[in-house]
Amino acid sequence: MWRGDPSINDYVDRWVAPRLLRDYGITLRTIDGQGPAIVNQLVVERDARARGSADLVWINGETFNNLRKEALLYGPWAHRLPAAKYVDSLSPIVMRDFEQPTNGFESPWGRVQFTLIYDSLRVPAPPRTIAELGRWIRANPGRFTHDQQFTGTTFLKSVLYAENGGARSFAGGFSEKRYTEGSERLWAWLEGVRPYFWRRGETYPASVADLHRLFANGEVDFTMSYNENEVITKVRQGVLPRTSRALVLRDGSIANAHFLGIPYNARNPAGAMVVANFLLSAAAQLEKLRPEVWADGTVLDVRKLPPELKVRFGAIDTDPRGIPRDTLRRYEVSEVAAEYTERIASDWKTRIRANPR
Amino acid sequence: MENPDPREPEVKGLLAAILVAGPVLVGLVYSLLGSFSVVGPGATGFSLRHIQVVLADSTTWWGTLWTVWIALASTTLATVFAMGTAVALRGERGVDRFARLAAVMPLAVPHVVAGLGALLVLSQSGLLARLAFAANLQTSPSDMPVLTQDRYGIGLILALTWKELPFLALIAFSVIARRGPALEETARSLGAGALRTFRAATLPVLWRGLLPSSIAVFTFVAGNYEVAALLAPSSPLALPLLTMERYTDSALGVRGEAFVLVLLAMLVSLCGVAAHEWTANKVETGE
Amino acid sequence: MKRTRALPRVGLAVALAIGAILPLAFLVVLSVSAEWFYPALLPGQWTSANWNFLGRGSAVIFSSLGTSAALALSAGFASSIAGLFAGREIARLQGWRRRFAVALAFLPVAVPPLALSIGLQYSLLRSGMGGRFIGVLFAHIVPALGYTTLFFAGIFAVFDWRVEDEARSLGANRFDVLRRVTLPLLRRPLVEAFALGFLVSCAQVPLTLLIGQGLVNTLPLELMSYVSAGQDHLAATAGVILTIPPLALLIVAGLAVRRLRVVIA
């Protein structure tokens, strides 16, 4: 798993691990690793016929896609978990990873939604749609940018949907024609506002962490996150200023889930399944949801839970900085085919990033 | 000059060198195979596709040029300062010894931490900017001149120079202590004045002793990822950053391009090594 | 003449001291603070939370610290000794052989770390050394040995072999010559080479990650996680911890030098 966020590390090391040991006799050891690196690692492990290193990997989207393509995942197994019956199986966000059905090869762990983050002191009346954002950027030159990685690409996708009448027009698999037409509007929008970006759009922060730093230090007035509650944890960690707030764009907030998979060469797949099941349990999902812990959305359908658990989920204090759950649901939009994301990311690099002027 | 024991076969030295370089050669072969798409993530069997794509891309060349610029600039600065420091602080007084220790201390700081520090100090909202703000010289970060993620890599060069100077200074101190006095005394006894002594005796000795280390620094800086990730701009994209990006691209088929870039980076380093051989030769014959 | 040069020398010494101490002080301040945003000159919050955090997950931190220390010490030790012998043999070569050998010895230094990691990954994993301390140690020794070999090649290039010849002419065998004549003269370079290998090991990130398959956790790896996650204060804390041993080593070596110089001169 990615070990960069101390809140997540805390949750896993200090809440999950002791309980796993106490209740199941499982010693949980976390290994540093993230997305694309996991795929490369497993490919080399397979080529070198080396023994497996991880039993459980934290993945989503393109990583899942690539792992499936290379047949590097053990499975199917996720549907067999006892806790799986409480999963929100009607939600396309949880049951499909970038439009690809999970088919039991990965077990859902949490769900998140894309939001912008702004400072209520600096921007008391923030824009609510992409169109308003465009106007705001032009009126405030040098105060907005996006990062080069997943979060930035999600922002670009949001613009793509907004400029093309919504995500629905991109649903149902990848279409070259739809991509070409749709992306033309995206590039047009970008070229229009680009001269008003931070550093005139000639350079971009490498990752969303760099963007957070720019925002916290007042170089830009917006940052963003694919997790709607990241603003809560980051303020608590002292990484973002206390007046930071999240906002959902009315054009739609892209939602996706993150999952757990078992590598084909896992040495202890049974143990991995027990861990995944525990992480899917109501208790673990509840703890994870708490703003003081991780504030990561649950993949469970709360209505399916027994009444006393239902109550506890409902009673979670929502932090004033966060966004009310019904607002989130109202604007939620699911991910479309992964190829759209890939194409936007690579075309952005060649069309926009490589041409600073 | 030095006389190795004539009874020792020369094979031993070559063997030692091969042992030292062996693992790298293995790695190079793997990268070679990877660039032909024979091994590695997304490998499809022998193909020239990766090589064609990478070499035809202007981003590759701009990135390489930019990386060479950064490496040259920081290595040159660090070398010049190291030499100057070594000459200025060659005494044995307390001041000299203390200053030499101070010069060497940044060695202990990990590169990535030095990069982070440089970012937090030199960025438009960094420590320097805040000092300027406190002194009423600016009112917002955009007033501050751009030193990080800039086209010329100024912040990057400064950070790398700060980190490489102690290494070169350490070598320079050693060289001058070991070889300096003998040659200088000879020069002075032949009647040369201070400046002449410096140019004819001290400088060449220093330069020759420092040269291999400077080349090592050049190649190290050219291949360094962590500091560039913090301080380099997104265009032109430095070679190590480009390589990492390709290796972790979401499209598996693209990842093989990283191997081509790896070989390109090796080529840059080897040019540096060749330059070392060439200049070392010149200096030797010139003597 | 020396008196007129004193002022610029003192100035240089002061500048160097500032250049060394200020950044370290900055790091320490970062490690005990949070919420330090523009335009504040001082942190918004002083806190020991970072040190608590790094110390709390005690299993994680102490194992990663311990692993890093063990790796660096072993790599420093192995590479300094091996480098001495390798450098010595290379320095004794002549002509084209020597240039070829030096060029070869340059390879571990010249190859970009990512390239070395990707390249070594397959072979080390294949041989079963992956995911183990020994595998990562071997991987660390590769670049460290390159540096120490070149270092010693340089030293032996200006080494006065006559000392060895004289000892041998006095009846000492090869082993004795090495032990009683050569090695004592090389005490300081050995310490420096050890420090070099130690530092090289401390700097390794992709190598540890790829060969260790994530199972071998080191502090530099954690440091990188924090930096890429934007956790500047935690990164500074890890950075301070990583800086202390080499710093101590440098200071000790710096003080020890004095004594050695007197002996040699």
Side-chain angles (χ1 to χ4, degrees), chain A residues 63-181:
Chain A
T63 306
F64 176 66
N65 218 347
N66 289 327
L67 287 174
R68 286 286 275 142
K69 262 192 242 173
E70 293 277 324
L72 290 169
L73 281 178
Y74 174 93
W77 56 276
H79 52 286
R80 289 192 266 147
L81 295 180
K85 63 176 181 277
Y86 296 115
V87 166
D88 192 356
S89 48
L90 290 178
S91 162
I93 287 152
V94 169
M95 297 316 289
R96 297 168 87 85
D97 203 350
F98 279 71
E99 266 195 13
Q100 197 187 13
T102 60
N103 278 338
F105 276 87
E106 51 178 5
S107 172
W109 191 13
R111 51 163 293 161
V112 288
Q113 257 176 261
F114 178 83
T115 59
L116 288 183
I117 299 176
Y118 67 101
D119 186 341
S120 50
L121 269 186
R122 287 183 254 157
V123 186
R128 297 275 169 193
T129 65
I130 293 289
E132 283 176 30
L133 180 64
R135 284 195 287 276
W136 187 94
I137 295 174
R138 284 187 179 80
N140 296 275
R143 309 295 301 173
F144 181 90
T145 188
H146 62 83
D147 67 287
Q148 301 182 45
Q149 289 184 356
F150 186 68
T151 312
T153 314
T154 311
F155 170 71
L156 293 178
K157 277 187 296 193
S158 305
V159 177
L160 179 73
Y161 298 164
E163 292 290 295
N164 285 284
R168 285 158 287 122
S169 45
F170 294 99
F174 180 76
S175 150
E176 183 69 44
K177 183 163 166 297
R178 237 172 301 158
Y179 172 74
T180 318
E181 286 169 2

Side-chain angles (χ1 to χ4, degrees), chain A residues 12-46:
Chain A
V12 173
D13 292 336
R14 305 191 75 229
W15 194 91
V16 172
R19 280 167 180 74
L20 279 175
L21 185 59
R22 182 191 70 195
D23 298 338
Y24 302 95
I26 292 183
T27 313
L28 184 70
R29 233 186 109 187
T30 52
I31 306 173
D32 202 340
Q34 199 182 358
I38 294 180
V39 181
N40 290 344
Q41 171 105 352
L42 286 174
V43 167
V44 179
E45 282 181 15
R46 179 190 59 198

Side-chain angles (χ1 to χ4, degrees), chain B residues 1-5 7-14 16-21 23-28 30-31 84-85 87-93 95-113 116-118 120-121 124-127 129-131 133-134 138-141 162 165 167 170-171 173-174 177-179 194 208 211-213 215-217 219-220 222-226 230 240 243-244 247 258-259 262 265-266 269-270 273 276-277 281 284, chain C residues 1-2 5 9-10 12-14 16-17 19-21 23-24 26-27 30 36-42 85-94 96-116 118-123 138 142 145-147 149-151 155-161 165 168 174 185 188-189 192 196 199 202-203 205-206 210 220 223-224 227 231-233 235-236 238-240 242-244 246-247 250-251 254-255 258 261 264:
Chain B
M1 37 177 192
E2 310 84 26
N3 171 38
D5 187 341
R7 286 171 296 174
E8 299 288 301
E10 283 155 332
V11 155
K12 255 179 147 192
L14 286 177
I18 292 181
L19 269 173
V20 169
V24 181
L25 291 170
V26 167
L28 279 183
Y30 189 80
S31 300
T85 316
V87 170
L89 298 173
R90 23 192 330 197
E92 278 309 311
R93 316 156 100 83
V95 171
D96 298 308
R97 271 204 301 271
F98 172 76
R100 282 202 298 268
L101 185 60
V104 164
M105 270 168 59
L107 259 182
V109 178
H111 274 81
V112 67
V113 173
L116 183 63
L120 295 177
V121 169
Q124 286 182 299
S125 56
L127 208 55
R130 300 181 200 190
L131 283 169
F133 182 88
Q138 62 167 235
T139 47
S140 96
W162 185 82
L165 174 58
F167 177 68
L170 189 62
I171 311 272
F173 295 154
S174 197
R178 223 176 291 271
R179 292 275 279 170
R208 223 178 92 203
L211 187 57
S213 307
I215 303 290
V217 164
T219 58
F220 178 84
N224 179 271
Y225 170 81
E226 293 91 23
L230 286 168
T243 311
M244 180 63 90
Y247 198 55
F259 291 110
V262 154
M266 270 306 302
S269 304
L270 287 176
V273 176
H276 158 254
E277 293 303 310
N281 234 3
E284 235 153 82
Chain C
M1 180 153 67
K2 289 229 172 105
R5 283 177 152 214
R9 227 181 24 221
V10 170
L12 181 58
V14 170
L16 287 171
I21 298 188
L24 291 175
F26 184 52
L27 266 185
L30 271 173
W36 197 3
F37 308 128
Y38 180 94
L41 274 178
L42 287 177
F85 286 108
R88 184 164 175 264
E89 293 309 319
I90 291 180
R92 282 154 56 135
L93 292 174
Q94 305 274 45
W96 70 266
R97 269 170 240 186
R98 187 213 211 135
R99 282 207 286 278
F100 181 63
V102 169
L104 273 183
F106 245 115
L107 277 182
V109 170
V111 65
L114 184 64
L116 184 62
I118 297 176
L120 272 185
Q121 195 186 14
Y122 176 80
S123 33
F138 180 84
V142 172
L145 186 56
Y147 278 97
T149 303
L150 285 173
F151 177 75
I155 298 235
F156 279 108
V158 297
F159 184 72
D160 200 350
W161 299 93
D165 293 342
R168 223 169 289 131
R174 249 200 342 225
L185 279 177
R188 178 172 178 201
E192 286 175 355
L196 198 53
L199 284 172
C202 280
V205 173
L210 261 48
L223 173 60
M224 272 313 290
V227 172
Q231 298 283 347
D232 298 342
H233 299 275
V240 170
L242 267 179
T243 303
I244 295 178
L247 199 58
L250 280 173
I251 296 181
L255 293 174
R258 237 184 345 154
R261 277 265 173 79
I264 288 184

